[in-house]
Amino acid sequence: TIYCSSSNNLDIEFYDLAKNLGKFMAKKSIKVIYGGGSIGLMGELSKSAYSSGGEVIGIIPDFLVNKEIQNNQITETIVVKNMHDRKKKLFDLGDGFLILPGGSGTVEEATEVISWKFLGLHDKNIIIFNFNEYWNEFINIYDKAKERNFSNKNLQDICKTVSTFQEFKLLF
């Protein structure tokens, strides 16, 4: 399951990363499960994976079908009632989680799967792709929580963090 931005207003290097990840995942026969939109990083990654022969499943709530422009050039689209159902389906279908740069929705999804892993509710792999140091502040929050005894675990103990495409490829 991949969590990432639906914005079409990012620097080109973010879209290039998404395209490269999509191609790589297709080549490695890694099924892409994502939010179902055709815009932003979601769109670039899903289109790249699908056009490279990969399997891509999109999960989109009905109220976002037009806003995130449902991607019909994927293997399967699952339309759900609401965001809660989307997040549950993304969680249930994913064997692991890749967190790419994104906004409030991505932060929420990332925080949820990280919290659930802290609580022992799952043992799925989580990879934070800290491209261009995008997630530095997010990572620092978890470091501070451990440092100040709000948590007894360190984020790095339960997540892998990569900063480059080359580092990411080494995980596979």
Side-chain angles (χ1 to χ4, degrees):
T1 294
I2 300 170
Y3 300 125
C4 61
S5 175
S6 62
S7 173
N8 277 333
N9 299 312
L10 307 175
D11 292 335
I12 190 73
E13 59 200 0
F14 288 97
Y15 303 113
D16 290 342
L17 172 67
K19 287 177 193 173
N20 288 332
L21 285 167
K23 289 177 192 170
F24 177 78
M25 294 176 125
K27 180 181 172 188
K28 291 289 188 175
S29 298
I30 299 169
K31 184 188 306 183
V32 171
I33 301 165
Y34 82 111
S38 64
I39 58 175
L41 299 183
M42 285 198 300
E44 293 298 330
L45 192 142
S46 62
K47 291 172 193 171
S48 173
Y50 186 70
S51 67
S52 299
E55 186 174 354
V56 180
I57 298 174
I59 302 162
I60 191 165
D62 55 12
F63 78 93
L64 285 180
V65 165
N66 293 322
K67 184 176 182 180
E68 289 185 353
I69 310 171
Q70 177 181 325
N71 188 353
N72 294 315
Q73 296 177 341
I74 58 176
T75 311
E76 179 183 2
T77 299
I78 300 169
V79 179
V80 295
K81 286 191 255 181
N82 54 47
M83 291 300 283
H84 178 74
D85 290 347
R86 179 198 223 179
K87 290 191 314 175
K88 181 172 180 359
K89 199 75 155 162
L90 286 167
F91 177 82
D92 290 343
L93 293 178
D95 294 331
F97 305 97
L98 174 58
I99 302 165
L100 298 179
S104 61
T106 305
V107 170
E108 178 195 12
E109 293 161 334
T111 302
E112 185 172 71
V113 296
I114 289 167
S115 295
W116 289 357
K117 190 161 183 176
F118 273 134
L119 294 169
L121 299 176
H122 74 86
D123 195 29
K124 299 176 182 185
N125 289 328
I126 301 171
I127 301 168
I128 299 172
F129 205 126
N130 193 22
F131 185 70
N132 286 357
E133 301 181 344
Y134 184 84
W135 291 112
N136 279 359
E137 288 81 7
F138 182 79
I139 293 166
N140 288 339
I141 289 170
Y142 285 94
D143 289 343
K144 188 182 289 185
K146 171 95 165 79
E147 212 174 87
R148 296 189 180 179
N149 299 315
F150 286 93
S151 175
N152 62 354
K153 296 177 186 156
N154 191 316
L155 183 65
Q156 289 76 13
D157 293 339
I158 66 159
C159 298
K160 291 177 176 64
T161 302
V162 297
S163 298
T164 67
F165 184 61
Q166 292 304 320
E167 284 180 89
F168 177 78
K169 287 184 355 182
L170 291 174
L171 297 176
F172 301 90

